[in-house]
Amino acid sequence: MDASRQIPKGAGSSRDSTASTPQRHGNASQAAARSLTRPLILALLFLAASTLVSLWVGYRLLDPSLLREDPTARILFFDLRLPRVVLGGILGASLGAVGACLQAFFRNPLAEPFTLGVSGGGTLGASVAIALGWGINLAGVPMVFLAAFAGSAAAVLVVYWLSRTGDVVMPGTLLLAGVVVNLIASAGVILIQYIADYSRALQILRWTIGTIDVVGFDRIWRMLILLIPGWAILLAITRDLHLLAMGEESAASLGVNVRRCERLVYIASSLIVGVAVAEGGTIAFVGLIIPHAVRLVLGQDVRLVLPCSFLVGAGFLMLADALARTALTSGELPVGAVTAVIGGITFLGLLRRQRRFSAI
Amino acid sequence: MAHSSSLEPAHADTLIEARGLRFAYEAELWVVDDVSLQIERGALAALIGANGSGKSTLIRLLAGLRTANAGEVLFSGQPLKGIPRQRLARSLAYVPQINPMIFPFTALEVVMTGRSPYTPRFRFESRLDVEKAHKALATVDGAHLAPRPVTELSGGERQLVAVARALAQEPECLILDEPAAALDLKHRTSLIRILRQLRDRQGMTALMVTHDLQLLDPAFDQVFAIHRGALLAEGPPAQVLRDRVLSRVYDDPQVRARKLEGRTFVWSGT
């Protein structure tokens, strides 16, 4: 009796006050059905702006009239600056999206390719390939990419295997295992540098710092052979990741095939990170800061955060590279150093904020 | 119950059936040991047992979150294994015991995920889904929580949000792992009231793990008691809540159950 008197009243009145009013207030409000359009437009605007800026600045500012008249300027632009900007965009997009994916999947805001050791593993794999000789392509895909992919895959498996006990991934162990795998991998890289001959050792050193040197579009096409499947997987499992970000068990009870999703995350993240590392070296923390920045603006919904991290990551790395190209009057900074400084400081800030949640 | 049986006369009696379920995390250490049980459609059922007796594992098996080493679970007469995940999620909702939240999703966002079994993979929830999520929150008296980040909610409020998410799934059956543990006295009774009401109005079935034995009689229809993974007793609350049964369930000879003003009270010790 008591029950039937109280509940309908409570349910009816509070529904009227909360459910219908915000909806009348229009689409921007929390209660309206969510859509990707507005966030995508925002992210695309940012991407377009950063593309223009990074095409414009450089060793010399871009002069559009010169492009029409001067063939040398044309070559410089289309063979050096444009590919470099595109590569920066591809790498930034890849790292941003993988970062958003890993953070959601591991339910850990500090997870990203670098902190989980995935890029470390990729670096080791690629170093082996470089030390053994660059040139071989396998079905259009350079061996370095495949070796880096293998290294990344091995790293992610080891880290996950160490940190998982039964149903629970321990966040502390996850990051610790990532750090240790990174250390082991970089020790491996140093060993390889000692063993390899002088010119290749120098090549490895230059590359591990993280620079975006590219001539022409040939290598970019080859990267895309592996990257596009990886990106496609990430976008396909975005909804599952959104549910997983709120807990593995509840995601499973909502119909997510957690084991399959886990395998896809492994494959996609090691594919993407492997190739990104093989081409750009270790570009640290892009995968960490981009998803956080996106979340600050768009909120937590992974279905918004992941695609937007892809676009914003692209824009961010283009800008970081533009900064790296122009910061010094002579020569340039490695872009990996630029992102490491910006990202490392952000990481420390996050770590401090994190202390409030005692679980980590 | 009369209501639900008139809707589906074909299998009006049993919604969930377990046949000889066995489960072990380590070889031969049976956490669930040869459990067979039937939960009636439209019943409010409780699962009781001592800590570590295998309650949570058993309901995970019943919810299809784990696969038994032996035996099978039937849902609406169909083997649970054969039901596609997404379709199962529309009929059966599970409320986990603890739901640690790392990211500050809003309560509404969490409840909205309950609509994902009805939403195509690449679509966002519709306005109707948003409305249903709000309604589910209001049902558990949590309408005011909608815009708040779940990381800032108390344990009990989070529990309410988890229940609301399950309700947003519009399931035939709700399986809850100790939902009352973090709730205060008022919300505990109101949760039971909500479950009873859903049972009476929509014929919803619910199975709830609980340590709070005072809740059971007369609110529940069926009580299952397990002891070291095996089913020890089952029946209406008044039949299970007896000194002799309970002292075996909890390995405690001092457990006493007494009826007072139509309710059964249980306590232990001198």
Side-chain angles (χ1 to χ4, degrees), chain A residues 172-258:
Chain A
T173 319
L174 185 76
L175 295 174
L176 210 55
V179 169
V180 173
V181 166
N182 256 341
L183 286 174
I184 295 172
S186 48
V189 174
I190 290 171
L191 278 179
I192 290 171
Q193 282 176 314
Y194 266 89
I195 299 166
D197 69 65
Y198 181 74
S199 70
R200 284 201 173 134
L202 196 68
Q203 208 174 2
I204 293 172
L205 179 68
R206 255 188 72 80
W207 157 81
T208 46
I209 296 168
T211 50
I212 311 178
D213 278 332
V214 69
V215 179
F217 278 95
D218 183 54
R219 280 186 79 76
I220 292 179
W221 298 134
R222 291 177 196 283
M223 285 172 73
L224 288 177
I225 297 174
L226 294 181
L227 285 179
I228 287 173
W231 295 343
I233 292 175
L234 285 192
L235 289 176
I237 59 172
T238 300
R239 202 257 294 264
D240 295 345
L241 291 170
H242 177 60
L243 300 180
L244 277 166
M246 298 186 196
E248 196 170 301
E249 207 165 45
S250 58
S253 74
L254 288 168
V256 175
N257 187 338
V258 179

Side-chain angles (χ1 to χ4, degrees), chain A residues 2-4 6-8 11 14-15 18-19 23 30-34 36 103 107-109 167 235-237 239-240 242-243 245-246 249-250 252-257 260 295 300-301 303-304 357, chain B residues 60 65-66 85-86 89 92 94 96 99-106 108-110 113-114 116-117 119-127 130-131 134-135 138-139 143 151 165 169 193-194 197 201:
Chain A
D2 186 24
S4 52
Q6 283 210 351
I7 296 291
S14 33
R15 225 204 89 195
T18 51
Q23 281 191 8
Q30 273 272 336
R34 199 153 267 180
L36 193 56
Q103 287 171 14
R107 289 172 291 287
N108 193 325
D167 280 341
L235 289 176
I237 59 172
R239 202 257 294 264
D240 295 345
H242 177 60
L243 300 180
M246 298 186 196
E249 207 165 45
S250 58
S253 74
L254 288 168
V256 175
N257 187 338
R260 196 188 63 184
R295 270 196 289 263
Q300 302 292 323
D301 196 323
R303 297 165 301 175
L304 303 179
F357 312 114
Chain B
R60 283 193 182 106
L65 294 172
R66 286 190 174 283
R85 285 160 199 272
Q86 186 124 353
L92 194 148
Y94 172 80
N99 203 6
M101 279 287 182
I102 308 294
F103 295 105
F105 288 101
T106 66
L108 183 64
E109 279 176 317
V110 173
T113 59
S116 67
T119 319
R121 176 170 283 269
F122 294 105
R123 286 270 180 79
F124 286 85
E125 296 82 5
S126 68
R127 262 166 194 246
V130 182
E131 221 168 275
H134 272 296
K135 198 176 144 202
T139 306
T151 41
R165 183 221 315 252
Q169 285 173 253
R193 215 159 51 202
I194 290 160
Q197 202 175 28
R201 282 193 187 163

Side-chain angles (χ1 to χ4, degrees), chain A residues 246-254, chain B residues 55-60 62-65 89 91-101 110-111 113-114 136 140 155-171 173-183 191 194-195 198 204-210:
Chain A
M246 298 186 196
E248 196 170 301
E249 207 165 45
S250 58
S253 74
L254 288 168
Chain B
K55 300 185 298 295
S56 296
T57 308
L58 176 58
I59 62 163
R60 283 193 182 106
L62 296 178
L65 294 172
S91 323
L92 194 148
Y94 172 80
V95 180
Q97 187 173 4
I98 36 157
N99 203 6
M101 279 287 182
V110 173
V111 176
T113 59
V140 297
E157 288 170 323
R158 268 189 228 191
Q159 197 67 60
L160 291 180
V161 171
V163 174
R165 183 221 315 252
L167 293 181
Q169 285 173 253
E170 297 182 326
C173 179
L174 209 56
I175 293 185
L176 308 100
D177 198 351
E178 281 194 53
L183 298 180
L191 175 67
I194 290 160
L195 293 179
L198 289 166
M204 186 190 277
T205 312
L207 172 66
M208 174 172 153
V209 169
T210 186

